[in-house]
Amino acid sequence: MKTRKIGNSLEVSAIGLGCMGMSFAYDPIPDRKEMIKLLHSAYELGETFFDTAEVYGPYTNEELIGEAVASFRKDITIATKFGFRIADGKQSDTDSRPEHIREVVEASLKRLRTDYIDLLYQHRVDPNVPIEEVAGTVKELIQEGKVKYFGLSEAGVDTIRRAHAIQPVTAVQSEYSLWWRQPEKELIPTLEELGIGLVPFSPLGRGYLTGSLNVGSSFGRGDFRSTLPRFTPEALKANQAIVDLLQKIADEKEATPAQIALAWLLAQKPWIVPIPGTTKLHRLKENMQAANIYLTPEEIAHINRTSGNIVITGDRYPQELKRATGL
């Protein structure tokens, strides 16, 4: 697996692994032993960048990662996140008070079976806590050796600049893919200016860009996608044009739509590291092989031009979730 540097100093595999779906958000929840085997396979195939968070479960995802990677912990990069209050086993309001950050880090260290966190993200910006206090707290944790690098997730450019002035931000995590290109307007130019890496989550549109979903696809009540406007039958049908574009390029390259979607992301900037999630070994291999696909400038221009003319139907999140989390 090829490697990339994010934030000028943190070197990871060119494609990371989003681990959320291994124990959270998508029905059915896979067998724990099978996911440990999958994580071992990922490492053996060259994967070195694993993404988790305390709210995935809550807690169970970090516990899964901690158990699975124990034998090769020092050879990999683990990213986890703080920023929410958890009440009655469910994610609640944002909470980035300094004392809460420290509580979360101590608990995450135990669940991850480690004495340091490689990359610690603020999961969502807390409107009640100045970002300077957040960055200052993480700076102290770095000085104490409990954290190595600081990251932000879904943060605006002003917040990023203010945080970066207190403690250098290594990576910003944001949704970015061919059906969500908003980061290109302000976020990516700002990150390039500041020398911060971008870690796109949902780089395959929560499975949509793989071409495996269509107007007849259904989602269980426990599947996060059942609540999202982009996964209604009407939206799935209306957005098919973006999948058709990927399929056409994939056929020409003897690849898959998922691989083209990931290769397109990798071609945008050398400091972009997507973290597609999967619970299946064949999908893991498929995603990782995308790092070896070369898109010519002409192919990239064609994808950009054509996708830019496609109007994507459906919001990323329902209105109530936007209000609750600021997404």
Side-chain angles (χ1 to χ4, degrees), residues 3 8 35 43 65 67 74-75 81 118 128 174 178 189 193 206 214 229 246 254 270 313:
T3 62
N8 299 320
M35 292 304 94
Y43 172 68
I65 303 305
E67 179 179 350
K74 293 184 178 180
D75 299 327
K81 311 172 191 74
D118 296 285
N128 299 312
S174 178
L178 274 169
E193 173 194 339
R206 297 187 171 88
N214 55 50
L246 289 170
E254 297 185 349
T313 298

Side-chain angles (χ1 to χ4, degrees), residues 144-155:
E144 294 166 15
K146 295 179 179 179
V147 173
K148 289 190 174 183
Y149 300 98
F150 178 35
L152 298 171
S153 180
E154 295 275 273

Side-chain angles (χ1 to χ4, degrees), residues 100-314:
H100 184 66
I101 296 173
R102 286 187 167 276
E103 290 172 359
V104 172
V105 166
E106 292 300 331
S108 291
L109 288 170
K110 291 179 181 178
R111 287 189 290 268
L112 292 167
R113 304 186 184 187
T114 185
D115 54 6
Y116 64 94
I117 293 167
D118 296 285
L119 177 57
L120 181 67
Y121 292 105
Q122 182 189 39
H123 208 151
R124 291 294 184 271
V125 175
D126 187 339
N128 299 312
V129 180
I131 194 62
E132 290 81 1
E133 289 188 23
V134 174
T137 303
V138 176
K139 183 174 185 175
E140 293 171 359
L141 290 165
I142 291 173
Q143 292 170 344
E144 294 166 15
K146 295 179 179 179
V147 173
K148 289 190 174 183
Y149 300 98
F150 178 35
L152 298 171
S153 180
E154 295 275 273
V157 295
D158 179 62
T159 299
I160 293 167
R161 289 183 183 279
R162 289 164 53 200
H164 193 67
I166 304 299
Q167 168 60 44
V169 177
T170 294
V172 168
Q173 190 173 111
S174 178
E175 184 168 354
Y176 180 39
S177 71
L178 274 169
W179 79 339
W180 180 253
R181 296 179 62 176
Q182 189 71 20
E184 295 173 355
K185 293 183 178 180
E186 290 188 327
L187 179 62
I188 289 177
T190 299
L191 300 185
E192 186 155 44
E193 173 194 339
L194 299 176
I196 300 171
L198 176 62
V199 179
F201 68 83
S202 299
L204 298 177
R206 297 187 171 88
Y208 185 70
L209 298 181
T210 66
S212 61
L213 301 175
N214 55 50
V215 67
S217 298
S218 60
F219 308 96
R221 292 178 59 187
D223 191 313
F224 179 55
R225 292 172 293 185
S226 67
T227 68
L228 303 180
R230 288 196 176 183
F231 287 89
T232 63
E234 296 78 15
L236 290 172
K237 181 178 180 180
N239 293 329
Q240 182 63 36
I242 199 76
V243 177
D244 292 342
L245 168 63
L246 289 170
Q247 186 65 65
K248 183 176 183 298
I249 303 294
D251 290 342
E252 295 171 354
K253 306 288 283 190
E254 297 185 349
T256 67
Q259 289 173 333
I260 299 303
L262 292 171
W264 176 83
L265 274 174
L266 292 172
Q268 300 311 300
K269 300 290 179 182
W271 36 265
I272 289 178
V273 178
I275 50 168
T278 187
T279 59
K280 298 178 176 64
L281 181 59
H282 73 279
R283 291 295 190 190
L284 174 72
K285 292 179 178 179
E286 176 186 351
N287 292 343
M288 294 179 71
Q289 288 166 0
N292 298 319
I293 293 176
Y294 172 71
L295 294 174
T296 67
E298 293 75 19
E299 288 169 333
I300 294 170
H302 172 64
I303 293 172
N304 288 342
R305 183 174 59 253
T306 306
S307 63
N309 292 327
I310 297 172
V311 178
I312 302 299
T313 298

Side-chain angles (χ1 to χ4, degrees), residues 21-50:
M22 296 181 182
S23 57
F24 179 68
Y26 300 107
D27 271 350
I29 299 299
D31 179 75
R32 181 184 179 89
K33 291 182 179 179
E34 289 300 312
M35 292 304 94
I36 290 175
K37 287 173 59 178
L38 183 67
L39 288 161
H40 286 177
S41 295
Y43 172 68
E44 291 164 3
L45 290 167
E47 184 66 73
T48 65
F49 190 28
F50 297 83

